């Protein structure tokens, strides 16, 4: 849930503090309105998204997110997200000129101030923090929206079309694990077809960025398959681990279409 800023020690940049305190209250109201105020959060660093999920698995709300910075309670240091090699680069903000990668001897209050400045620089809609006993991670959020259930997806809509495509690919991976060359052609062809059709799907109110990511990911999966090994030898059958990894990638795309 949203957290009220602790700013008792702040004596400057009051306009920034007031601005982001107001946005924190807006975020709390927004999550409450989406029925997600008491839900658990689930962060997908690879996709750059955060979900608020019911204990039974029902997704209540979702948002795009990027890491801003992280604060360590152990050594009171603040690391900017772009300097953290452990994070997916598509899930962090771009480096900000004249901002150091690391700030040592940093108080928690100063960490909040830096997070607000970075959120302002990144033009985030909201500021969100994830806490543990050892650290705080500050996130910028965009497009906090209620999740769409599959029952709400209109039959024949672009969403329905892409979901059916992804379902067919998940089935194909399991049924054709012994023929990676065929799977390679299938994924590449479907990805290229989706990219070529993007302009028509987008005109029907689809998310252009998600369409492009879906098509590109399918092509990427396809190109990783069916490679001949040791010259003229046919490609080996996919292992259970490979089938599982491909299925997870397709499932993540599918989840993105029902958010």
């Amino acid at each position: 849930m949203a957290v009220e800023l602790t700013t008792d020690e702040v004596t400057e940049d009051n306009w920034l503090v007031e601005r982001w305190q107001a946005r924190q209250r807006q975020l709390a109201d927004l999550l409450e309105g989406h029925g997600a105020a008491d839900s658990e959060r689930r962060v997908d660093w690879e996709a750059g998204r955060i979900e608020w999920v019911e204990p039974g698995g029902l997704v209540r709300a979702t948002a795009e997110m990027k890491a801003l910075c992280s604060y360590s309670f152990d050594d009171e240091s603040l690391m900017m997200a772009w300097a953290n090699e452990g994070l997916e680069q598509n899930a962090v903000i771009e480096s900000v000129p004249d901002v150091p990668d690391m700030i040592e001897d940093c108080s928690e209050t100063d960490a909040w101030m830096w997070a607000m400045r970075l959120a302002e620089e990144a033009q985030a809609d909201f500021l969100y923090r994830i806490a543990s006993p050892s650290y705080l991670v500050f996130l910028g959020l965009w497009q906090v929206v209620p999740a769409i259930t599959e029952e709400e997806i209109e039959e024949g809509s672009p969403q329905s079309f892409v979901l059916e495509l992804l379902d067919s690919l998940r089935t194909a991976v399991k049924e054709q694990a012994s023929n990676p060359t065929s799977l390679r052609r299938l994924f590449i062809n479907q990805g290229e077809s989706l990219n070529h059709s993007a302009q028509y799907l987008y005109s029907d109110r689809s998310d252009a960025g998600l369409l492009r990511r879906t098509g590109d990911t399918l092509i990427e999966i396809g190109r990783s398959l069916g490679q001949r090994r040791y010259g003229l030898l046919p490609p080996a059958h996919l292992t259970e681990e490979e089938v599982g990894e491909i299925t997870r990638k397709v499932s993540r795309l599918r989840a993105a279409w029902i958010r």
Side-chain angles (χ1 to χ4, degrees):
M1 59 183 295
V3 177
E4 191 72 19
L5 303 182
T6 55
T7 57
D8 294 339
E9 301 173 29
V10 175
T11 58
E12 57 184 15
D13 290 335
N14 286 333
W15 69 271
L16 189 66
V17 173
E18 292 175 1
R19 175 181 174 85
W20 286 99
Q21 281 183 327
R23 290 197 175 190
Q24 293 296 94
R25 291 190 290 270
Q26 292 172 12
L27 176 59
D29 291 342
L30 197 57
L31 292 177
E32 181 72 31
H34 296 337
D38 298 321
S39 300
E40 295 183 2
R41 58 176 170 256
R42 183 168 63 196
V43 177
D44 186 337
W45 291 103
E46 185 174 346
R49 299 189 71 84
I50 184 171
E51 298 174 334
W52 288 268
V53 187
E54 292 284 301
L58 176 64
V59 180
R60 285 293 186 181
T62 182
E64 296 180 10
M65 67 89 187
K66 287 184 181 292
L68 304 171
C69 55
S70 58
Y71 178 71
S72 170
F73 290 117
D74 295 335
D75 58 11
E76 297 186 333
S77 65
L78 184 72
M79 177 183 289
M80 304 307 158
W82 59 81
N84 190 336
E85 297 180 355
L87 296 179
E88 296 286 342
Q89 289 307 299
N90 67 325
V92 304
I93 62 170
E94 295 182 0
S95 59
V96 178
D98 301 323
V99 174
D101 291 347
M102 176 79 75
I103 298 176
E104 299 180 349
D105 297 323
C106 181
S107 69
E108 184 179 349
T109 296
D110 286 339
W112 272 106
M113 289 302 303
W114 276 106
M116 287 185 281
R117 293 181 187 119
L118 293 173
E120 190 77 21
E121 184 72 25
Q123 298 182 335
D125 293 336
F126 301 105
L127 175 61
Y128 194 82
R129 74 97 175 93
I130 296 176
S132 80
S134 300
Y135 62 83
L136 296 175
V137 175
F138 295 95
L139 306 176
L141 301 185
W142 292 261
Q143 298 182 26
V144 179
V145 295
I148 301 173
T149 64
E150 293 195 51
E151 290 75 13
E152 295 175 296
I153 296 174
E154 180 182 352
E155 185 176 355
S157 67
Q159 281 176 297
S160 175
F161 168 76
V162 175
L163 288 174
E164 290 178 5
L165 169 63
L166 296 176
D167 284 341
S168 69
L169 289 175
R170 284 197 303 187
T171 300
V173 171
K174 298 175 181 178
E175 294 180 348
Q176 301 182 40
S178 62
N179 192 351
T181 302
S182 175
L183 284 175
R184 174 185 173 87
R185 290 195 299 268
L186 177 62
F187 271 83
I188 291 176
N189 289 343
Q190 294 289 13
E192 290 179 344
S193 177
L194 195 59
N195 283 345
H196 291 158
S197 304
Q199 59 179 319
Y200 307 109
L201 294 172
Y202 177 60
S203 66
D204 200 6
R205 304 182 307 281
S206 287
D207 184 325
L210 182 55
L211 279 167
R212 173 60 63 179
R213 178 159 68 89
T214 302
D216 289 348
T217 300
L218 296 182
I219 293 171
E220 179 185 344
I221 292 172
R223 287 175 177 169
S224 72
L225 298 171
Q227 300 294 339
R228 292 187 177 275
R229 302 170 188 177
Y230 305 108
L232 298 179
L233 291 178
H237 297 182
L238 297 180
T239 65
E240 290 186 9
E241 290 76 12
E242 289 172 325
V243 169
E245 179 59 26
I246 294 169
T247 301
R248 283 190 291 272
K249 288 182 179 180
V250 176
S251 295
R252 282 196 290 267
L253 288 174
R254 191 183 191 283
W257 281 93
I258 59 175
R259 288 166 178 162

